[in-house]
Amino acid sequence: MKLLFINGVNLNMTGIREKGVYGEQTLEQINAEIAAHFKNDECEFFQSNSEGEICSALQNAKCDGIILNAGAFTHYSYAIRDAITSISIPVVEVHMSNVHAREEFRHTSVISEVCKGVIAGFGKYSYILAGESFKL
Ligand code: DQA
């Protein structure tokens, strides 16, 4: 199975910003653990702070499943929502933190409705749980 892990805006700061929320590991370290977990699958990783680049990554994806942590784009990007509905590959929305236990603006996702499912609150394991969901 080929899985594409997409991380959006500010996720490159993981391990540097708000360590109490997102943990001490960098995105590179987390991605290495994800790749080790899915050692019998093909994993591709992409991160961008640009909304348009996330849309292009979704449009150009060639894989069986996409795991998307859009970061703050989750809460307002109709462009990313439209990119998800433009493709036939299923997308699972992921958040490391439990967005529903945080500020009010994080309770809204404009992409959940067009995603296969949503996983939030399990730190780096949110990505692994989302990847595993494609095997159910
Ligand atoms: C996040 C939650 C978002 O609200 C936030 O803007 C992020 C990270 C998470 O992984 O918990 O950048 O998507």
Side-chain angles (χ1 to χ4, degrees):
M1 181 171 276
K2 185 167 177 193
L3 300 171
L4 172 61
F5 295 81
I6 300 179
N7 279 285
V9 63
N10 293 319
L11 271 304
N12 59 311
M13 296 296 284
T14 305
I16 300 163
R17 70 162 177 166
E18 299 180 82
K19 292 182 184 179
V21 178
Y22 302 115
E24 305 249 338
Q25 287 181 293
T26 64
L27 189 60
E28 285 69 27
Q29 289 168 332
I30 291 170
N31 287 347
E33 282 194 32
I34 294 168
H37 178 89
F38 291 104
K39 57 182 182 302
N40 297 322
D41 300 289
E42 201 183 326
C43 292
E44 195 184 328
F45 299 94
F46 177 76
Q47 189 279 327
S48 177
N49 290 325
S50 153
E51 187 181 25
E53 284 184 10
I54 304 287
C55 293
S56 296
L58 288 162
Q59 290 171 13
N60 298 328
K62 286 177 186 59
C63 60
D64 302 298
I66 299 172
I67 296 92
L68 172 63
N69 185 350
F73 290 144
T74 305
H75 312 302
Y76 63 88
S77 176
Y78 297 117
I80 290 176
R81 179 192 166 107
D82 283 350
I84 295 168
T85 57
S86 302
I87 61 173
S88 52
I89 304 167
V91 177
V92 173
E93 174 185 344
V94 161
H95 302 286
M96 284 195 277
S97 64
N98 177 358
V99 283
H100 300 288
R102 299 180 66 194
E103 303 94 321
E104 190 79 30
F105 75 90
R106 295 186 206 277
H107 301 182
T108 298
S109 166
V110 300
I111 65 171
S112 297
E113 206 183 347
V114 296
C115 286
K116 191 180 175 199
V118 182
I119 295 176
F122 299 97
K124 62 188 174 186
Y125 299 106
S126 291
Y127 296 101
I128 291 173
L129 290 167
E132 285 293 340
S133 74
F134 288 108
K135 300 180 178 212
L136 297 174

